[in-house]
Amino acid sequence: MPKSIFVSNVLPREALALIPKEFSVDYNDSDRPLPKTELIRRLEGKDALICQIVSAIDDEVLAAAPGLKVVSNVAVGFNNIDVAAARKRGVVVTNTPDVLTETTADFAWALLMAAARRIVEADRFARSGQWTRWQWDLLWGHDVYGKTLGIVGFGRIGRAVARRAQGFGMRVLYHDTVRADGAAERELRATYAEPDVLFRESDFVSLHTLLIAETRHLVNERTLRLMKKTAILVNAARGPIVDESALVRALREGWIAGAGLDVFEEEPKIHPGLLPLENVVLAPHIASASLDTRLAMATLAVRNCLAVLEGKPPITPV
Ligand code: DGY
């Protein structure tokens, strides 16, 4: 029997071309999430699934394909997959780390800079025709150079964000469940801090943790109130790490100065309280969205899938 793969959303042609001709492929050439019933129906009898974060792969979905060997997620985050259920069923789960690290770190910095220097407001102002003369106190922002950056989650992306901070002469604090080794701390000039210290002392807090039970609403009313009134929060990780209602109040009432958000609690919905606020920069979950990076993610996901189907170890298992 030829191996059968279900590709549940659009992938670049170059990545699909890696799949051997003799494999049977059911391809949903769309970026819209499939309704669960259709996902289940099309997964029946398949050996492999290549999916994106828009598909929730829970135990019910996994049960539809008892022969499933691999779920290959085209993302580094894998909170859309019930990994424990997959493991119980002997299904390998893979993700796409490394290939998006630098692009995602660049984007976290883009949000940080945009929020600090009010780029989006400035753009709107410049286009609006309101700019009639040079003004002394126009759109004053917050300095970045020489300030303190707090990084929550010191994995690949958190470290890439820290590396960039060196160019800005920043003091870097980080928190993670596992402390980095001395060599990494020295190389990145980063100091380990307990979460409350990090929130209290940082001018910028950038989130780079996984979304797991322990990190859900890690940023909440209490931690937001610990932050400086001049501080800026950046989230390019996962929306539910931040209690969005608390953040709306923090931004509205001036507990913190601003935020740059690429992810939201209930994507694609954005908390309506965020929309009218000038002191938040909003992006539609695009931190890894560059041509090269998306191609590299898709290629790695296909290679992971093929490795498992060919009886080899996956390249990047979860
Ligand atoms: C990821 O890789 O987890 C991104 O959030 C989606 O591209």
mmCIF file of all heavy atoms in Angstrom, residues 53 74-78 96 100 236-238 263 285 288 294 297, ligand 1:
data_model
loop_
_atom_site.group_PDB
_atom_site.id
_atom_site.type_symbol
_atom_site.label_atom_id
_atom_site.label_comp_id
_atom_site.label_asym_id
_atom_site.label_seq_id
_atom_site.Cartn_x
_atom_site.Cartn_y
_atom_site.Cartn_z
ATOM 1 N N ILE A 53 -1.179 25.655 12.581
ATOM 2 C CA ILE A 53 -1.718 25.957 13.912
ATOM 3 C C ILE A 53 -3.220 26.226 13.912
ATOM 4 O O ILE A 53 -3.845 26.254 14.960
ATOM 5 C CB ILE A 53 -0.989 27.145 14.578
ATOM 6 C CG1 ILE A 53 -1.061 28.399 13.703
ATOM 7 C CG2 ILE A 53 0.443 26.800 14.904
ATOM 8 C CD1 ILE A 53 -0.613 29.661 14.426
ATOM 9 N N VAL A 74 3.411 22.674 11.019
ATOM 10 C CA VAL A 74 4.229 23.667 10.311
ATOM 11 C C VAL A 74 4.311 24.921 11.201
ATOM 12 O O VAL A 74 3.787 25.985 10.897
ATOM 13 C CB VAL A 74 3.628 24.012 8.933
ATOM 14 C CG1 VAL A 74 4.654 24.798 8.095
ATOM 15 C CG2 VAL A 74 3.214 22.760 8.187
ATOM 16 N N ALA A 75 4.957 24.763 12.328
ATOM 17 C CA ALA A 75 5.081 25.841 13.322
ATOM 18 C C ALA A 75 6.014 25.341 14.408
ATOM 19 O O ALA A 75 6.156 24.119 14.604
ATOM 20 C CB ALA A 75 3.727 26.169 13.942
ATOM 21 N N VAL A 76 6.612 26.276 15.115
ATOM 22 C CA VAL A 76 7.403 25.850 16.269
ATOM 23 C C VAL A 76 6.496 25.578 17.466
ATOM 24 O O VAL A 76 6.702 24.654 18.225
ATOM 25 C CB VAL A 76 8.530 26.871 16.596
ATOM 26 C CG1 VAL A 76 7.979 28.195 17.077
ATOM 27 C CG2 VAL A 76 9.485 26.307 17.628
ATOM 28 N N GLY A 77 5.448 26.407 17.621
ATOM 29 C CA GLY A 77 4.482 26.195 18.706
ATOM 30 C C GLY A 77 3.621 24.985 18.381
ATOM 31 O O GLY A 77 3.329 24.718 17.212
ATOM 32 N N PHE A 78 3.204 24.266 19.417
ATOM 33 C CA PHE A 78 2.410 23.058 19.146
ATOM 34 C C PHE A 78 1.243 22.935 20.124
ATOM 35 O O PHE A 78 0.760 21.843 20.399
ATOM 36 C CB PHE A 78 3.299 21.805 19.171
ATOM 37 C CG PHE A 78 4.206 21.727 20.360
ATOM 38 C CD1 PHE A 78 3.761 21.201 21.562
ATOM 39 C CD2 PHE A 78 5.510 22.199 20.284
ATOM 40 C CE1 PHE A 78 4.590 21.154 22.665
ATOM 41 C CE2 PHE A 78 6.347 22.155 21.387
ATOM 42 C CZ PHE A 78 5.895 21.627 22.576
ATOM 43 N N THR A 96 8.626 22.892 13.907
ATOM 44 C CA THR A 96 9.660 23.496 13.040
ATOM 45 C C THR A 96 10.499 24.554 13.785
ATOM 46 O O THR A 96 10.432 25.751 13.471
ATOM 47 C CB THR A 96 9.026 24.145 11.789
ATOM 48 O OG1 THR A 96 8.132 25.186 12.222
ATOM 49 C CG2 THR A 96 8.267 23.151 10.952
ATOM 50 N N LEU A 100 12.834 29.399 12.133
ATOM 51 C CA LEU A 100 12.118 30.681 12.250
ATOM 52 C C LEU A 100 12.643 31.543 13.392
ATOM 53 O O LEU A 100 12.112 32.626 13.652
ATOM 54 C CB LEU A 100 10.601 30.441 12.412
ATOM 55 C CG LEU A 100 10.118 29.391 13.405
ATOM 56 C CD1 LEU A 100 10.527 29.672 14.799
ATOM 57 C CD2 LEU A 100 8.617 29.232 13.294
ATOM 58 N N ALA A 236 5.128 38.023 21.083
ATOM 59 C CA ALA A 236 5.156 37.364 19.774
ATOM 60 C C ALA A 236 5.204 35.853 20.003
ATOM 61 O O ALA A 236 5.704 35.110 19.165
ATOM 62 C CB ALA A 236 6.354 37.830 18.957
ATOM 63 N N ALA A 237 4.661 35.421 21.156
ATOM 64 C CA ALA A 237 4.695 33.980 21.475
ATOM 65 C C ALA A 237 3.300 33.383 21.274
ATOM 66 O O ALA A 237 2.971 32.968 20.157
ATOM 67 C CB ALA A 237 5.202 33.791 22.898
ATOM 68 N N ARG A 238 2.477 33.409 22.308
ATOM 69 C CA ARG A 238 1.099 32.931 22.184
ATOM 70 C C ARG A 238 0.192 33.851 22.999
ATOM 71 O O ARG A 238 0.534 34.244 24.123
ATOM 72 C CB ARG A 238 0.962 31.492 22.702
ATOM 73 C CG ARG A 238 1.496 30.427 21.757
ATOM 74 C CD ARG A 238 0.665 30.332 20.469
ATOM 75 N NE ARG A 238 1.121 29.285 19.571
ATOM 76 C CZ ARG A 238 1.952 29.473 18.542
ATOM 77 N NH1 ARG A 238 2.440 30.672 18.290
ATOM 78 N NH2 ARG A 238 2.276 28.460 17.755
ATOM 79 N N VAL A 263 0.083 38.277 18.779
ATOM 80 C CA VAL A 263 -0.758 37.113 19.079
ATOM 81 C C VAL A 263 -1.828 37.516 20.090
ATOM 82 O O VAL A 263 -1.629 38.442 20.879
ATOM 83 C CB VAL A 263 0.119 35.956 19.630
ATOM 84 C CG1 VAL A 263 0.973 35.339 18.544
ATOM 85 C CG2 VAL A 263 0.996 36.440 20.775
ATOM 86 N N HIS A 285 -0.514 37.952 13.819
ATOM 87 C CA HIS A 285 0.273 36.710 13.969
ATOM 88 C C HIS A 285 1.164 36.461 12.737
ATOM 89 O O HIS A 285 1.011 35.461 12.030
ATOM 90 C CB HIS A 285 -0.659 35.512 14.227
ATOM 91 C CG HIS A 285 0.052 34.358 14.885
ATOM 92 N ND1 HIS A 285 -0.568 33.482 15.756
ATOM 93 C CD2 HIS A 285 1.337 33.923 14.798
ATOM 94 C CE1 HIS A 285 0.297 32.577 16.173
ATOM 95 N NE2 HIS A 285 1.467 32.817 15.597
ATOM 96 N N SER A 288 6.674 35.052 12.016
ATOM 97 C CA SER A 288 7.554 34.201 11.195
ATOM 98 C C SER A 288 7.261 34.364 9.706
ATOM 99 O O SER A 288 7.765 33.597 8.883
ATOM 100 C CB SER A 288 7.391 32.725 11.591
ATOM 101 O OG SER A 288 6.073 32.281 11.319
ATOM 102 N N ARG A 294 8.978 31.039 5.817
ATOM 103 C CA ARG A 294 7.798 30.181 5.618
ATOM 104 C C ARG A 294 8.156 28.985 4.721
ATOM 105 O O ARG A 294 7.687 27.870 4.942
ATOM 106 C CB ARG A 294 6.637 30.988 5.043
ATOM 107 C CG ARG A 294 5.968 31.879 6.094
ATOM 108 C CD ARG A 294 5.139 31.028 7.075
ATOM 109 N NE ARG A 294 4.896 31.694 8.327
ATOM 110 C CZ ARG A 294 3.856 32.493 8.602
ATOM 111 N NH1 ARG A 294 2.967 32.743 7.671
ATOM 112 N NH2 ARG A 294 3.726 33.020 9.785
ATOM 113 N N MET A 297 10.078 26.567 6.891
ATOM 114 C CA MET A 297 9.178 25.862 7.819
ATOM 115 C C MET A 297 8.443 24.732 7.094
ATOM 116 O O MET A 297 8.352 23.599 7.595
ATOM 117 C CB MET A 297 8.147 26.841 8.410
ATOM 118 C CG MET A 297 8.724 27.847 9.378
ATOM 119 S SD MET A 297 7.584 29.227 9.686
ATOM 120 C CE MET A 297 6.292 28.419 10.631
HETATM 121 C C1 DGY B 1 4.836 29.267 15.229
HETATM 122 O O1 DGY B 1 5.664 28.770 14.460
HETATM 123 O O2 DGY B 1 4.548 28.758 16.306
HETATM 124 C C2 DGY B 1 4.161 30.516 14.783
HETATM 125 O O3 DGY B 1 3.445 31.104 15.787
HETATM 126 C C3 DGY B 1 3.253 30.253 13.606
HETATM 127 O O4 DGY B 1 3.996 30.408 12.489
#
